[in-house]
Amino acid sequence: MSAFEFARQVGDVFVLPDTCIKIKEVIDNKISGLDEIAEIIALDPTLASRLLKLANSALYNFPNSVDSVSKAVLLLGETQVYNLVVAYGSAEAFAKAPTDVIDLERFWEISIHAALIAKFLGTVVGVKQNEPLYLSGLLHNIGELVVAEVNPDVARLCANYKKGVLPWMRQQELLGFSYADCSVALLKLWRLPDTLIDPLNYLNSPQLQPNNKFVQVLHVAARLSLLNAAFGQFELEDLIDKQIINSLGLKRRDIDEARAFASLEGMSILSLLNPKGSMIM
């Protein structure tokens, strides 16, 4: 089966909540404003509480307490609110993912670290702040949950990281496609923006987009998130071509600071969106 066929099999099982769809429609509308977004969020108590937790977290460190959804939406802005809504929706969509097949804690750790590292490095190299780097990082590996649902035996084999065996090569060997390919297929079924999805086509082949900083930062972030989550199993040189790092103008200090930032902020984000109830971001 192809990556698209895998995604299509779970299309009726893993779906975004109505709240996410409504907010996307409002944002796409361009005419409606932040007030309407706040009204939709206020009707979803779980999402509203997570938005308020995010606005009051150390990640933003606003000088005063944020005590209303409308104020949170105003302070965070459309991009950050949309990031949270899609992240929340994705976590809800996969709340019943098979926990006996893969380590969901590790899955979300990789996803969140990729998002945070992409956000950090994007700032370092000058990727525009309105680019969906954070979300692309967060959702880059969502295909793993699709495979875990459709073919749990193969998902278990792919989740068994081993030294000398690169995960995306293992996926390609066993499935004929990578988890990133499956992520692209599902996100297209979800009708998320092309600007978020298209860079994932080059997640494992950034050399095909040598002048695209978005693609290259996303690639580096995904690899560094794996380095953080599978500590001691890989070396930086195993996962990232030095030419990619050099082309972005990144120094070793930038890499180390990005990884540290993800480790520091990752726990608070996990507490916001964790599909099991303690929550993640």
Side-chain angles (χ1 to χ4, degrees), residues 148-213:
E149 178 72 19
V150 178
N151 194 331
D153 291 337
V154 170
R156 287 190 186 94
L157 291 173
C158 290
N160 186 20
Y161 297 156
K162 294 181 180 179
K163 280 192 174 183
V165 180
L166 298 175
W168 59 96
M169 297 298 291
R170 181 70 163 158
Q171 295 155 21
Q172 192 72 43
E173 173 191 345
L174 294 173
L175 292 163
F177 56 82
S178 71
Y179 285 160
D181 298 325
C182 202
S183 299
V184 167
L186 181 65
L187 298 179
K188 284 184 177 180
L189 289 177
W190 282 357
R191 297 186 179 182
L192 293 185
D194 289 339
T195 52
L196 185 161
I197 300 171
D198 289 346
L200 293 174
N201 286 305
Y202 305 98
L203 187 71
N204 298 317
S205 53
Q207 67 277 6
L208 298 179
Q209 295 279 304
N211 300 315
N212 191 323
K213 285 185 178 180

Side-chain angles (χ1 to χ4, degrees), residues 3-275:
F4 183 78
E5 288 169 329
F6 265 70
R8 191 166 55 185
Q9 282 201 34
V10 302
D12 294 332
V13 179
F14 299 142
V15 295
L16 288 176
D18 288 342
T19 302
C20 300
I21 297 170
K22 290 176 182 176
I23 290 176
K24 183 180 183 298
E25 289 173 350
V26 168
I27 291 173
D28 289 345
N29 189 350
K30 303 294 185 184
I31 299 174
S32 304
L34 295 177
D35 287 344
E36 188 170 348
I37 293 174
E39 288 174 7
I40 295 171
I41 292 174
L43 294 174
D44 187 327
T46 304
L47 176 57
S49 67
R50 296 184 192 189
L51 179 69
L52 288 173
K53 285 181 181 178
L54 176 66
N56 286 294
S57 71
L59 190 63
Y60 292 98
N61 200 26
F62 291 128
N64 300 311
S65 175
V66 181
D67 54 8
S68 71
V69 170
S70 57
K71 187 176 180 180
V73 169
L74 180 63
L75 288 172
L76 292 172
E78 184 179 283
T79 298
Q80 292 299 329
V81 170
Y82 184 64
N83 285 348
L84 173 68
V85 167
V86 175
Y88 158 79
S90 301
E92 289 293 302
F94 287 99
K96 295 181 180 179
T99 56
D100 60 326
V101 179
I102 60 172
D103 183 344
L104 274 182
E105 185 175 339
R106 182 173 68 176
F107 167 83
W108 284 114
E109 181 183 0
I110 289 174
S111 301
I112 291 164
H113 279 220
L116 291 170
I117 291 171
K119 180 179 180 180
F120 184 98
L121 293 181
T123 301
V124 171
V125 306
V127 175
K128 294 179 181 178
Q129 289 300 301
N130 62 349
E131 294 282 5
L133 254 179
Y134 179 93
L135 270 186
S136 292
L138 184 73
L139 302 176
H140 81 279
N141 198 43
I142 209 87
E144 180 174 11
L145 299 183
V146 174
V147 174
E149 178 72 19
V150 178
N151 194 331
D153 291 337
V154 170
R156 287 190 186 94
L157 291 173
C158 290
N160 186 20
Y161 297 156
K162 294 181 180 179
K163 280 192 174 183
V165 180
L166 298 175
W168 59 96
M169 297 298 291
R170 181 70 163 158
Q171 295 155 21
Q172 192 72 43
E173 173 191 345
L174 294 173
L175 292 163
F177 56 82
S178 71
Y179 285 160
D181 298 325
C182 202
S183 299
V184 167
L186 181 65
L187 298 179
K188 284 184 177 180
L189 289 177
W190 282 357
R191 297 186 179 182
L192 293 185
D194 289 339
T195 52
L196 185 161
I197 300 171
D198 289 346
L200 293 174
N201 286 305
Y202 305 98
L203 187 71
N204 298 317
S205 53
Q207 67 277 6
L208 298 179
Q209 295 279 304
N211 300 315
N212 191 323
K213 285 185 178 180
F214 189 119
V215 166
Q216 296 195 341
V217 166
L218 186 60
H219 166 79
V220 172
R223 296 290 189 264
L224 292 179
S225 69
L226 181 60
L227 199 62
N228 276 12
F231 185 76
Q233 291 183 288
F234 302 103
E235 299 294 334
L236 179 64
E237 295 74 18
D238 297 331
L239 300 176
I240 308 173
D241 189 331
K242 192 175 181 180
Q243 288 185 335
I244 299 292
I245 294 177
N246 291 340
S247 69
L248 287 169
L250 294 173
K251 307 299 183 186
R252 184 58 188 249
R253 181 184 65 186
D254 299 320
I255 298 294
D256 292 341
E257 288 180 353
R259 292 180 64 191
F261 171 73
S263 296
L264 181 65
E265 300 295 345
M267 289 304 295
S268 62
I269 298 303
L270 274 167
S271 71
L272 290 172
L273 296 180
N274 187 342

